[in-house]
Amino acid sequence: MREHLRDTFWFAPTAAMVLIFVLWTGASALDAAIVRLLQEHQNLAEIDELIRIVNDIKPVVSTVSSAMMTFIGVVFSISLVAVQMASGQFTPRVVRIFVRSRITKLTFAVFLSTFTLSLLVLTSFESEAEARHVTTVPIVQSVLTLLMVALSLFLFIAYVNSTLRLMRVGHVVDRITGECLRVLDRMPRGDFDEALGPERGRIGYVGQSGVLRDVNIARLVRAAKAQGVVLRLLPRIGDFVVPGTPLLSVHGSGQGDGPTRSALRYTVMVGVERTFHQDLAFGLRQLCDIALRALSHAINDPTTAVLCLDRIVQLLTVLANRPLGAVGHPDGRGEIRLVQDVPSWADLVDLAFAEIRLCAVGSPQVTRRIMAGLDDLLRIAPGERRQPLLRQRELLAQAVMLAVPEAERAFALEPDRQGIG
């Protein structure tokens, strides 16, 4: 549910407007209580002073109510153009950064809340100016509106800064890398190598076609424990599934049946695009997409590709000594009930370098950075993980030998962490 709501743009503004309505109700009741208290104590001069203050504030509130919606439209129209430019320059996947941005949703929510509050406050102004007969003076509501306006201005500055950062490739790449590292911190270690029991059946996927975004591990573990079996998730996170696709295999030697359809409800989430939540390879995929677009003939920006390779090497360095492969999820007693496959080391190395290597043959800046990155990883990776790196190094050398003049081959294959500086 949290991941679903983060991918929507309606929840935060709607919740904020409901909250501001509740806040306005409380402020309105407080204003009425203040007036009643002053009338009971015959402090009519204080009531007159409050009326004078709110009459001075009323034009400001009226201006805010009429201008805020126009302000919202102009700001977000310009922002959508900036996001479109960023997606065209980098990759369409960066749009998800804008959609999931907390500052974006907070700004939009506060803007709409300020507009809603200003309209509600205007309904509290009374035409009655006699201190003895007035029922409410919206002084608390007016002050609250001014505070919301001030908050809107501060958030506007933060929002503009965030949007401008989205247009800078360095910040986009850093954001992707940071999210990928957080996924690595949350994911369990893929060191499950036990033999499962005999396969007793398979459970097909039922639902709409789409990308497998994540699974409810706790619910699957409970369903397997209730039947005394072990479940294995057949597709990997990020795979495209259609109705009927084998989703789970049931293993075990007991007499219990596999989980029922009702027990497996809400255990998988399928959407139109991948998400970082449980997808180990999605960060590398985005970095490769940005690098590939930068190396295209239409853009021809090898420096951006080198920037992406810096982060790719960083992620692979973190993964170099991490157990990868099948992940076993235990129940409360420590018995494995769910097995989930994650990309292997060879899969991640191929994802990181294969496509970039094919597009970078004519760019010595990128080939030199790839060679330096592979050399760094070869020094870090354990012996059993050197072969995929050596394979990529050999394939790059062969491609350069075939495509680059002999006089420039040594230069193109010389390791350099900055490419050509």
Side-chain angles (χ1 to χ4, degrees):
M1 180 61 69
R2 181 182 67 251
E3 285 298 305
H4 173 72
L5 293 178
R6 284 202 66 187
D7 281 336
T8 63
F9 212 77
W10 61 267
F11 178 75
T14 302
M17 286 191 292
V18 171
L19 179 62
I20 205 66
F21 181 81
V22 174
L23 192 61
W24 169 78
T25 303
S28 179
L30 181 59
D31 284 331
I34 292 174
V35 171
R36 286 196 302 269
L37 183 63
L38 292 176
Q39 288 175 342
E40 290 173 0
H41 290 80
Q42 297 297 315
N43 294 326
L44 302 182
E46 284 80 358
I47 297 178
D48 289 333
E49 182 66 17
L50 292 178
I51 293 175
R52 184 187 65 79
I53 293 174
V54 298
N55 286 335
D56 291 339
I57 298 177
K58 184 177 181 179
V60 178
V61 177
S62 180
T63 302
V64 169
S65 64
S66 60
M68 184 58 70
M69 188 55 69
T70 302
F71 181 64
I72 294 173
V74 172
V75 169
F76 279 88
S77 296
I78 296 174
S79 301
L80 291 177
V81 172
V83 171
Q84 185 178 12
M85 293 175 60
S87 65
Q89 182 179 359
F90 306 139
T91 171
R93 260 66 64 188
V94 301
V95 177
R96 64 175 299 279
I97 298 178
F98 177 82
V99 174
R100 294 170 65 90
S101 171
R102 290 186 175 90
I103 186 65
T104 300
K105 294 178 181 179
L106 179 61
T107 303
F108 192 44
V110 171
F111 282 4
L112 288 179
S113 299
T114 303
F115 172 71
T116 303
L117 179 62
S118 63
L119 294 181
L120 293 173
V121 171
L122 286 176
T123 64
S124 299
F125 285 93
E126 295 183 356
S127 58
E128 178 62 54
E130 180 63 34
R132 294 180 179 273
H133 302 98
V134 70
T135 59
T136 183
V137 178
I139 181 65
V140 176
Q141 302 172 60
S142 300
V143 172
L144 182 61
T145 303
L146 295 179
L147 292 176
M148 289 295 294
V149 171
L151 179 61
S152 299
L153 295 177
F154 283 115
L155 283 177
F156 172 67
I157 297 173
Y159 175 73
V160 170
N161 179 67
S162 176
T163 304
L164 292 177
R165 287 166 65 93
L166 182 62
M167 299 176 64
R168 299 169 60 182
V169 63
H171 292 286
V172 173
V173 170
D174 180 70
R175 174 74 176 271
I176 294 171
T177 306
E179 290 195 42
C180 193
L181 290 174
R182 284 191 288 273
V183 173
L184 295 179
D185 292 337
R186 292 195 304 264
M187 289 193 65
R189 303 175 73 85
D191 51 4
F192 179 80
D193 56 359
E194 302 176 15
L196 297 176
E199 182 176 324
R200 300 166 49 190
R202 292 191 172 188
I203 301 173
Y205 169 69
V206 178
Q208 296 182 347
S209 301
V211 176
L212 181 61
R213 303 181 61 170
D214 54 26
V215 295
N216 191 322
I217 295 173
R219 187 182 291 267
L220 284 172
V221 168
R222 287 196 298 269
K225 180 181 178 182
Q227 298 296 324
V229 298
V230 179
L231 299 177
R232 187 181 192 112
L233 184 68
L234 297 176
R236 287 198 316 215
I237 301 298
D239 287 356
F240 190 87
V241 295
V242 298
T245 300
L247 182 66
L248 295 165
S249 61
V250 183
H251 299 262
S253 57
Q255 300 299 319
D257 297 327
T260 61
R261 295 282 184 189
S262 59
L264 296 177
R265 293 180 63 189
Y266 309 114
T267 56
V268 297
M269 181 179 179
V270 173
V272 297
E273 62 181 0
R274 297 165 70 175
T275 181
F276 269 109
H277 187 213
Q278 296 177 356
D279 198 337
L280 181 63
F282 188 42
L284 287 174
R285 178 70 271 167
Q286 290 188 79
L287 294 174
C288 290
D289 286 347
I290 297 175
L292 292 173
R293 182 160 297 205
L295 291 174
S296 67
H297 295 294
I299 297 180
N300 193 22
D301 182 15
T303 303
T304 295
V306 169
L307 182 63
C308 294
L309 284 168
D310 292 339
R311 298 300 184 161
I312 288 172
V313 173
Q314 176 187 354
L315 293 176
L316 290 179
T317 300
V318 176
L319 290 164
N321 293 288
R322 182 187 179 94
L324 298 171
V327 177
H329 300 282
D331 59 15
R333 297 180 179 179
E335 298 182 18
I336 298 298
R337 293 298 181 183
L338 175 65
V339 178
Q340 178 184 1
D341 289 327
V342 299
S344 66
W345 172 253
D347 294 332
L348 295 173
V349 171
D350 289 340
L351 171 59
F353 293 110
E355 293 175 301
I356 299 177
R357 169 177 51 79
L358 293 173
C359 296
V361 174
S363 176
Q365 181 180 359
V366 181
T367 57
R368 288 160 62 93
R369 182 63 185 96
I370 294 177
M371 293 296 288
L374 290 172
D375 287 349
D376 290 339
L377 290 170
L378 284 168
R379 284 189 288 268
I380 296 172
E384 65 274 12
R385 292 189 172 180
R386 292 172 58 87
Q387 182 56 38
L389 299 170
L390 292 173
R391 176 175 171 271
Q392 291 295 331
R393 201 175 192 280
E394 180 62 26
L395 290 174
L396 178 60
Q398 292 179 9
V400 170
M401 292 296 180
L402 293 174
V404 177
E406 183 177 359
E408 299 180 3
R409 291 174 187 170
F411 177 78
L413 293 175
E414 181 181 352
D416 188 342
R417 292 190 181 89
Q418 294 187 17
I420 311 180

